[in-house]
Amino acid sequence: MPLIQQLSVEAGLKAEQDLLASVCAGELDAGVLFWQPTDRALVMPRRLSRLSGFEQASLELAASGWPILLRETGGEPVPQSASTINIALVYAPARAEGDHGRIETAYRRLCEPICDLLTELGGEASLGEIEGAFCDGRFNVNLDARKLVGTAQRWRQSQGGQRPVGLVHGALLVENERDSMVAAVNRFNQLCDLDQRCRAESHIALHEVFGAPDFFERLSASYQLILAPLLKP
């Protein structure tokens, strides 16, 4: 199987949930999934479907090539296309870690290998909010002070409720499709009377700065090292 699976956005979101269900069921101890959309969609939390302008926004955005899909994690609208590579890290923390800081630890497990690799390539990597970015957050991965990766996570209990299992997700922009992505998010926000407006220049794509042909192979190796202590002997 190729490292990066080519999937529709709907199938990619389902593949993440399937991996989470497998770890919850005890079929796997942990897993990493890389997938790249074969189509386009504007993906957003289910709660936004209750907005008064949602139905009109759905029709207009679908007509413009950005159909809306709903996801289980929180946050704000995120454009997904072939210009994006998604990373899903799923694991149950070691019991010795306890629950304190579990969410921040999960984000750091996802984000620090990306930051380390960007730094090795010669970039300036950071975590934090970027003004004008869509789905902005404290655990954005930024390259040269512009948003490269958006992150989110979701936790469930394993079967029998014995331990929590987390899915921590990153959407990494690899090619420059910033203008059309930002236009789709801003049009949704406008139609639904949401105040936020995003800016294309607040984002950056990996291949605008680095060719990095083995970027995801190196990233996958880092995640395998991180997950190794969490696997049962």
Side-chain angles (χ1 to χ4, degrees):
M1 183 182 294
L3 174 64
I4 301 172
Q5 297 186 41
Q6 306 292 314
L7 300 168
S8 69
V9 178
E10 188 170 14
L13 295 173
K14 182 178 184 300
E16 290 186 356
Q17 294 302 314
D18 288 347
L19 180 57
L20 177 59
S22 292
V23 177
C24 284
E27 298 164 1
L28 296 171
D29 291 323
V32 183
L33 172 68
F34 293 88
W35 63 277
Q36 183 174 28
T38 56
D39 57 357
R40 297 202 304 184
L42 191 60
V43 183
M44 62 189 66
R46 195 168 298 280
R47 62 178 170 78
L48 295 185
S49 65
R50 298 191 290 270
L51 294 171
S52 59
F54 181 82
E55 189 171 341
Q56 182 184 344
S58 295
L59 293 171
E60 182 172 320
L61 284 162
S64 69
W66 290 99
I68 290 175
L69 286 178
L70 301 176
R71 66 170 186 263
E72 299 304 321
T73 49
E76 297 166 356
V78 175
Q80 288 275 0
S81 76
S83 299
T84 308
I85 290 181
N86 294 278
I87 308 158
L89 197 63
V90 179
Y91 68 94
R95 286 188 176 86
E97 289 186 12
D99 273 348
H100 180 69
R102 170 164 42 102
I103 289 174
E104 180 160 334
T105 297
Y107 277 130
R108 293 196 179 280
R109 280 188 167 120
L110 176 76
C111 297
E112 286 178 355
I114 303 174
C115 290
D116 290 346
L117 186 47
L118 293 172
T119 301
E120 286 176 32
L121 291 169
E124 182 186 334
S126 63
L127 298 177
E129 297 178 355
I130 296 291
E131 185 178 353
F134 50 72
C135 202
D136 197 19
R138 191 161 63 97
F139 286 98
N140 295 337
V141 177
N142 307 313
L143 173 59
D144 300 341
R146 295 160 73 185
K147 179 175 177 177
L148 175 70
V149 187
T151 59
Q153 61 179 283
R154 183 185 182 205
W155 288 83
R156 285 174 52 183
Q157 287 297 119
S158 63
Q159 285 187 0
Q162 296 178 343
R163 57 182 185 165
V165 178
L167 184 161
V168 56
H169 170 272
L172 190 154
L173 190 63
V174 284
E175 304 294 347
N176 179 8
E177 198 178 347
R178 294 180 280 121
D179 288 335
S180 60
M181 287 178 162
V182 164
V185 173
N186 284 343
R187 185 58 178 153
F188 176 84
N189 289 344
Q190 180 184 16
L191 289 167
C192 292
D193 293 323
L194 299 174
D195 292 336
Q196 186 195 32
R197 296 295 181 268
C198 306
R199 300 195 302 267
E201 61 270 22
S202 296
H203 301 264
I204 195 166
L206 177 68
H207 291 162
E208 290 183 87
V209 184
F210 302 117
D214 61 348
F215 187 88
F216 293 98
E217 285 79 4
R218 293 168 68 182
L219 199 54
S220 177
S222 294
Y223 289 135
Q224 300 303 327
L225 288 174
I226 285 172
L227 292 179
L230 303 175
L231 301 178
K232 292 176 189 154

